[in-house]
Amino acid sequence: MSSAQPPGAVFAMDPVHLPLLFPEPLLARLKQTADIDTALVLRDFTAPGAAAALARAEVLITGWGCPHLGAELLAAAPRLRAVLHAAGSVRSLVGEACWERGVTVSSAVAANALPVAEYTLAMILLAGKDAFAQRERFRATHARPSPAETAATGNLGRRVGVIGASRVGRRLLELLRPFDFEVLLHDPYVTPDEATALGARALPLEDLLRRSDIVSLHAPDIPETFRMLDRGRLALIRDRGMLINTSRGALVDPVALSDELISGRLHAVLDVTEPEPLPVGSPLYALPNVFLTPHIAGSLGNELRRLGVTVVDELERLAAGLPPVHEVRRTDLVRVA
């Protein structure tokens, strides 16, 4: 894409996200690299001004709220050569027409993985200290727990099972290294030697579920992982075991999970659910053994700037004629979200 002229670029996303993704200093850096109207942010490719902008666009900078990039978009943007996504998955965003034209696609999914892994680490540490249950007890009794009540509490030697060596999963494995955990990993694409290098012991899924005190789910939402934690596999998790899900609700059978949680046999930290959000009458909102958060593990607030930095870095590389660092290839979609 290197040329004497800066590449024409267009924002395509919900405009509400732009100020946090690209604060003024970062926006200035972007404008030094691309010919872009920073006041034009397309959420509708038929909006006023969209046709002229798309006709000259070589780069589309996308984010949450961007319309699907299908054949109609390609027809309106004959010069389009790259899509730089200031968010995570591009699976539902990028249509077949983009791949067939050979449009370069890059995603900030690696940057978005960092806060998810940090959130998960925090929840693992709190779960090991039984913090969620102790909070409920303390509210009710206003008294410190007895030694008998905390005999099984603590993070020393706690077994943590990580399902999926995704970007989030791998970052989590790095974050777990300083702690005295026994870390188990299930990922069909990771060999035992690779798992060891990541600081974990590779196990089949069923064995990991049986042996773990805390199970953290980081597999991609693809057809092969749909309901991977079904009723039978959930039943393998030991009594009072903790399930943490920051991936997608579709990976867990929601009825079976609700049954396990209502019974009190399992505990859970759920940042994602199915459906999302849960209906108002769901019992999971009130269960003392369930810690629900509204899909906050990914980038929020000032963390969004990290996604914008990733996009500007990629744009500068493309403008210099270099390949992107975080390219997503069509073949990747078989096993990534």
Side-chain angles (χ1 to χ4, degrees):
M1 193 174 287
S2 178
S3 68
Q5 297 295 323
V10 178
F11 286 123
M13 64 183 72
D14 187 332
V16 71
H17 300 305
L18 196 71
L20 288 174
L21 286 168
F22 300 98
E24 196 54 48
L26 191 57
L27 208 58
R29 184 178 147 198
L30 190 155
K31 290 165 68 175
Q32 290 177 346
T33 307
D35 178 11
I36 187 168
D37 178 358
T38 57
L40 179 66
V41 185
L42 300 179
R43 194 175 183 181
D44 179 353
F45 290 146
T46 65
L54 291 173
R56 65 176 182 79
E58 296 172 72
V59 178
L60 208 58
I61 299 175
T62 61
W64 295 296
C66 177
H68 180 71
L69 308 181
E72 291 183 5
L73 177 277
L74 269 290
R79 302 178 64 193
L80 185 66
R81 294 295 177 266
V83 172
L84 306 181
H85 191 48
S89 174
V90 299
R91 176 178 291 276
S92 61
L93 175 68
V94 178
E96 287 298 314
C98 285
W99 301 117
E100 289 170 3
R101 181 188 282 188
V103 172
T104 297
V105 178
S106 172
S107 167
V109 65
N112 195 49
L114 302 182
V116 182
E118 293 165 357
Y119 171 104
T120 306
L121 173 65
M123 295 302 166
I124 289 171
L125 293 170
L126 290 171
K129 296 290 283 188
D130 198 26
F132 307 110
Q134 291 293 348
R135 176 177 181 267
E136 296 298 320
R137 293 189 194 101
F138 197 37
R139 277 181 162 182
T141 66
H142 301 170
R144 294 182 65 177
S146 69
E149 290 175 308
T150 60
T153 301
N155 283 310
L156 179 61
R158 186 75 63 182
R159 283 181 174 175
V160 178
V162 177
I163 300 176
S166 59
R167 289 180 178 86
V168 175
R170 287 169 185 262
R171 177 56 178 160
L172 176 62
L173 292 171
E174 290 178 15
L175 295 177
L176 290 171
R177 283 181 180 269
F179 301 95
D180 293 315
F181 291 120
E182 180 182 348
V183 182
L184 312 176
L185 173 66
H186 171 74
D187 188 307
Y189 296 97
V190 174
T191 67
D193 287 346
E194 289 170 336
T196 299
L198 291 169
R201 178 157 59 102
L203 286 179
L205 179 56
E206 288 75 11
D207 289 346
L208 179 146
L209 294 172
R210 289 188 189 97
R211 299 185 187 187
S212 299
D213 301 301
I214 300 167
V215 175
S216 192
L217 191 54
H218 302 289
D221 182 8
I222 57 177
E224 290 76 14
T225 62
F226 180 74
R227 303 288 192 267
M228 68 183 301
L229 296 189
D230 56 15
R231 188 174 295 276
R233 284 175 171 161
L234 287 172
L236 297 176
I237 302 175
R238 59 184 56 186
D239 290 355
R240 296 184 57 78
M242 170 69 76
L243 173 66
I244 300 174
N245 190 1
T246 57
S247 180
R248 287 293 184 270
L251 276 61
V252 185
D253 181 332
V255 176
L257 178 60
S258 291
D259 290 346
E260 290 279 19
L261 295 173
I262 291 169
S263 76
R265 195 185 75 80
L266 293 183
H267 294 234
V269 172
L270 303 176
D271 189 53
V272 292
T273 57
E274 186 171 285
E276 189 173 308
L278 292 171
V280 173
S282 171
L284 271 59
Y285 284 113
L287 290 177
N289 54 320
V290 179
F291 189 82
L292 281 174
T293 53
H295 207 141
I296 62 168
S299 299
L300 291 178
N302 61 28
E303 295 165 338
L304 294 176
R305 182 170 59 89
R306 188 186 280 134
L307 309 185
V309 169
T310 299
V311 165
V312 175
D313 287 346
E314 294 285 67
L315 181 62
E316 290 173 347
R317 289 182 62 84
L318 290 174
L322 299 172
V325 173
H326 303 288
E327 183 174 1
V328 180
R329 295 175 176 83
R330 190 182 200 174
T331 52
D332 294 336
L333 300 181
V334 174
R335 60 188 185 96
V336 301

